[in-house]
Amino acid sequence: MARSVKKMSVNNPTSGSSELTMSLFAPGMSPLHRAGLGGLACTLKFIEREVRAGRLKERQTPGAPWHGGKPPWDISPITVTLRFGKPENAKEFLRRLFGIAFALEDGLIWTPGAYPDVPPTLPVRALLQQGITLSFLQHGRVRSLAKTETVYDYQPEGEEGKTLQVEYKKCSFYKHQDGWKDLVDPRGRLKAEPIEVVGPISPGAVVRHGAFTGNTKIQEDAAHVLPLYFALVGCLALPINRGSGVLVIPEVDDLLRFCRVRPEMTPQTVRDCQIGNASDAALQAQLRVRLKQVVHDNELPGCHGVEFRPMPWSTQQKSRARAVFVAPGAEGQLELFAAVMQEEALSPRIVERRVVETPGRRKRKEKEEGRKTEWFWADSIVRPLVADNLASGRRWYEGFVRLMIQVDPVSKRPIRERLFFEKKGLHAMIQTCAWQDRGEGAVVRAVHEAMRRRFAQIADENKNNPVARKNRWKGEYDRWRLAFAGAKTGDQFRHSLCDLLSRAGINPVLQNEWQQVLPLLAGNQWHLARDLALLALASYTGTGAEDATQSAATDNLQ
């Protein structure tokens, strides 16, 4: 995200400069630099509002006193210019600027340039800080956190009677607070020589080889390093869980417009902070801006999403493991993603369980009555898949087979067990979302009809034996799940599908729409039909569906 600089260009500041101009499209400005310059513009606009409202004292204000009430900077659509008055005033100017931009409130990182008029609540800021420590401020040397966690009880918005907890470690210092020292020389002027770019301001920027530090470290001038510091404001960092996080880097092509957009990207509720992957985080950020209508739909910013998680070669640090790009102003994909978010079963939800506390921090689950009620957040496993597909321009259900065969790395249980809780959401999706091909919906309806008939046959054969009926329903569901998910070739899948349809008897859907189904079964599109068949199994809500899929899912929560 940053480049090595061996000599200064003609536009680089020198120690005699009384102003500093930074441009969005100057050579060497990466998406992270541009987002950082946008974060700087947002912070300067915040300072202007605070001065006009009389909430900022003169001794705290950069460049004070302001002559004629005009701030000592200019913000245009593509440039930011800071005017120090005299070259030696750069130190005090930047010290005050950084003091406002990178503060602490309630023991949590406070970046007011990134917040809307109503700042986020403490639980939201706790999660934002967790995202920052999983991306920018990973190493213990660049932030000072308390050794013990603070537990904060809160009630989610619109969830009366439900009390959840958020845990965080209070912060007393982080690298960005004294970052201005890297930009000035002992005389208080902007540094003329290149400045080293380190991981806390550009995640992933490290010395590549300890024996060749001078040749492999990344260096840039002050006009590039200052925006990198403010990337903490311009970007959005969120945790996926305690061990991995996402950095959303918005594309900035107009600084004045970005000053309206960036505050609306910040989550306002704990529910907004629940994400599944980089695509999910980027699309949710775009959707929040769209709902606030601060810009036209075609002006929504594109977003780069970078996932940080421990890798086998570096388990202690969180490395950049995956990157995606969500295109700007893609109205169709946002409409579909908004429909997914509106489905209760596919959006973050609060789940209840009964526990009894035992010595130590861990809690043992109990089945007896009279236990303590505990609430926790549970998220969808389908929505991240849909988000990835939408971000990549694929059909929203592609790769559904993975949800049927993958194992959760934490619980070591198949993630398909959690599909039971999202059945209603999936069923609503196939009923309301427009298919790209008429045959897609026909495949789903055909499998639904076949399963309905097969379950009806089993029920008729076991009228007087409900236990056997339930077991046979489950066996029937597992039989076709394994057959479809285990198909490695088109021939294997077609054989399994035809086997199901032939056993089910007359199928009105196929009788009427077989011409639309055949193209999906032929050639290289068979894998789409396989995903659709598995989607049909997971979304089936007819006779026997609950008995066939509920037992394993509910056991997973006991």
Side-chain angles (χ1 to χ4, degrees):
M1 294 184 182
R3 64 187 181 89
S4 177
V5 175
K6 294 303 179 185
K7 59 182 180 180
M8 312 301 289
S9 68
V10 294
N11 293 324
N12 281 341
T14 65
S15 59
S17 298
S18 60
E19 64 179 38
L20 175 64
T21 298
M22 296 152 285
S23 175
L24 278 177
F25 306 110
M29 292 290 283
S30 69
L32 189 66
H33 287 85
R34 291 194 291 271
L37 188 56
L40 174 59
C42 290
T43 302
L44 296 176
K45 287 293 185 182
F46 167 78
I47 294 174
E48 292 177 17
R49 293 193 299 270
E50 292 296 291
V51 170
R52 287 195 298 267
R55 291 188 292 264
L56 200 59
K57 297 179 181 179
E58 183 175 299
R59 66 175 183 272
Q60 300 173 305
T61 307
W66 294 0
H67 298 293
K70 184 179 180 181
W73 55 72
D74 293 316
I75 305 174
S76 76
I78 62 172
T79 62
V80 173
T81 300
L82 305 179
R83 297 189 299 273
F84 309 125
K86 297 179 180 179
E88 56 269 22
N89 291 346
K91 175 181 177 180
E92 183 61 19
F93 186 104
L94 294 176
R95 186 188 69 80
R96 295 183 183 184
L97 174 62
F98 276 59
I100 297 171
F102 308 113
L104 291 167
E105 189 81 19
D106 303 317
L108 291 168
I109 292 174
W110 179 267
T111 53
Y115 302 152
D117 293 337
V118 179
T121 60
L122 188 146
V124 172
R125 290 191 289 115
L127 292 172
L128 292 176
Q129 176 170 292
Q130 187 179 345
I132 290 172
T133 56
L134 290 167
S135 52
F136 287 104
L137 304 175
Q138 295 186 37
H139 201 283
R141 293 182 179 179
V142 298
R143 75 288 202 281
S144 297
L145 301 180
K147 294 183 179 180
T148 59
E149 291 185 330
T150 299
V151 179
Y152 183 83
D153 293 336
Y154 69 96
Q155 285 191 344
E157 296 77 359
E159 300 286 350
E160 297 296 332
K162 299 177 181 178
T163 300
L164 286 82
Q165 293 182 338
V166 62
E167 297 179 352
Y168 65 95
K169 292 183 177 181
K170 289 189 175 183
C171 180
S172 57
F173 170 80
Y174 55 103
K175 165 68 178 175
H176 294 66
Q177 291 187 291
D178 64 0
W180 56 272
K181 296 179 181 179
D182 296 334
L183 300 171
V184 295
D185 61 21
R187 295 180 296 173
R189 304 183 178 192
L190 287 176
K191 283 186 178 179
E193 65 273 12
I195 303 167
E196 183 178 359
V197 175
V198 292
I201 63 173
S202 180
V206 297
V207 174
R208 299 304 176 187
H209 200 295
F212 304 98
T213 301
N215 295 325
T216 61
K217 68 180 178 181
I218 300 173
Q219 294 179 308
E220 295 192 329
D221 56 59
H224 288 79
V225 175
L226 181 58
L228 285 179
Y229 270 104
F230 280 83
L232 187 68
V233 180
C235 298
L236 174 64
L238 288 169
I240 299 177
N241 49 49
R242 284 184 174 269
S244 57
V246 167
L247 182 64
V248 178
I249 308 171
E251 275 287 359
V252 183
D253 56 11
D254 186 317
L255 292 170
L256 297 177
R257 184 167 65 226
F258 186 72
C259 289
R260 302 195 306 272
V261 168
R262 175 60 188 91
E264 306 304 336
M265 296 178 66
T266 301
Q268 287 294 289
T269 66
V270 176
R271 188 184 303 273
D272 292 339
C273 296
Q274 310 302 311
I275 60 170
N277 58 21
S279 302
D280 186 26
L283 283 168
Q284 286 196 47
Q286 284 187 338
L287 190 58
R288 283 192 290 273
V289 175
R290 181 174 181 260
L291 292 175
K292 291 292 184 178
Q293 297 181 339
V294 294
V295 294
H296 296 294
D297 286 347
N298 60 357
E299 295 176 328
L300 289 174
C303 292
H304 300 268
V306 184
E307 291 183 15
F308 291 83
R309 59 174 178 262
M311 302 302 286
W313 58 85
S314 180
T315 57
Q316 294 182 338
Q317 287 291 102
K318 282 71 179 176
S319 304
R320 290 180 291 180
R322 181 170 173 265
V324 299
F325 178 67
V326 179
E331 179 65 16
Q333 72 180 20
L334 269 185
E335 286 285 352
L336 184 53
F337 187 74
V340 176
M341 290 295 296
Q342 289 174 358
E343 293 298 329
E344 183 178 355
L346 301 180
S347 61
R349 59 194 183 278
I350 297 176
V351 178
E352 174 189 5
R353 69 180 174 192
R354 297 278 191 160
V355 297
V356 61
E357 294 188 1
T358 57
R361 294 182 58 191
R362 301 184 63 86
K363 296 180 179 179
R364 178 168 51 91
K365 302 171 186 175
E366 296 288 326
K367 296 183 178 179
E368 300 84 9
E369 294 297 328
R371 297 150 331 265
K372 177 184 175 183
T373 299
E374 185 180 78
W375 305 92
F376 65 96
W377 285 101
D379 207 354
S380 168
I381 60 171
V382 173
R383 194 185 70 251
L385 172 68
V386 175
D388 269 341
N389 286 331
L390 294 178
S392 303
R394 298 188 294 263
R395 307 186 195 212
W396 67 269
Y397 60 84
E398 281 194 53
F400 195 86
V401 63
R402 296 198 297 271
L403 302 183
M404 288 292 195
I405 62 177
Q406 288 181 346
V407 175
D408 187 286
V410 178
S411 65
K412 307 302 181 183
R413 301 189 65 148
I415 63 175
R416 67 174 179 272
E417 295 176 356
R418 294 159 60 186
L419 286 174
F420 170 79
F421 304 102
E422 305 183 37
K423 184 183 293 290
K424 291 183 179 179
L426 287 173
H427 190 78
M429 288 287 293
I430 64 177
Q431 297 293 326
T432 58
C433 291
W435 301 103
Q436 292 188 25
D437 189 303
R438 186 177 172 185
E440 296 172 317
V443 170
V444 173
R445 292 194 300 274
V447 173
H448 279 177
E449 178 66 17
M451 293 301 294
R452 185 185 69 80
R453 291 175 176 269
R454 283 296 298 141
F455 281 2
Q457 292 170 6
I458 292 172
D460 188 60
E461 295 168 2
N462 297 271
K463 292 180 180 179
N464 300 321
N465 192 340
V467 175
R469 181 174 66 240
K470 181 177 180 179
N471 290 338
R472 285 195 59 190
W473 277 343
K474 185 178 185 306
E476 186 73 9
Y477 174 87
D478 287 340
R479 174 179 186 171
W480 302 116
R481 174 183 60 79
L482 292 170
F484 296 154
K488 304 301 181 185
T489 65
D491 287 338
Q492 289 177 346
F493 171 70
R494 284 186 288 269
H495 177 271
S496 300
L497 182 61
C498 290
D499 189 13
L500 168 62
L501 297 175
S502 65
R503 292 173 184 270
I506 297 175
N507 194 314
V509 177
L510 280 181
Q511 287 181 326
N512 297 327
E513 301 184 62
W514 63 270
Q515 290 177 312
Q516 285 75 40
V517 172
L518 285 180
L520 284 172
L521 300 178
N524 59 359
Q525 296 210 79
W526 70 269
H527 66 282
L528 294 177
R530 179 185 61 182
D531 289 329
L532 288 166
L534 290 168
L535 174 62
L537 287 180
S539 61
Y540 176 65
T541 57
T543 303
E546 186 169 340
D547 289 328
T549 58
Q550 184 180 25
S551 58
T554 52
D555 287 346
N556 198 24
L557 285 181
Q558 297 301 319

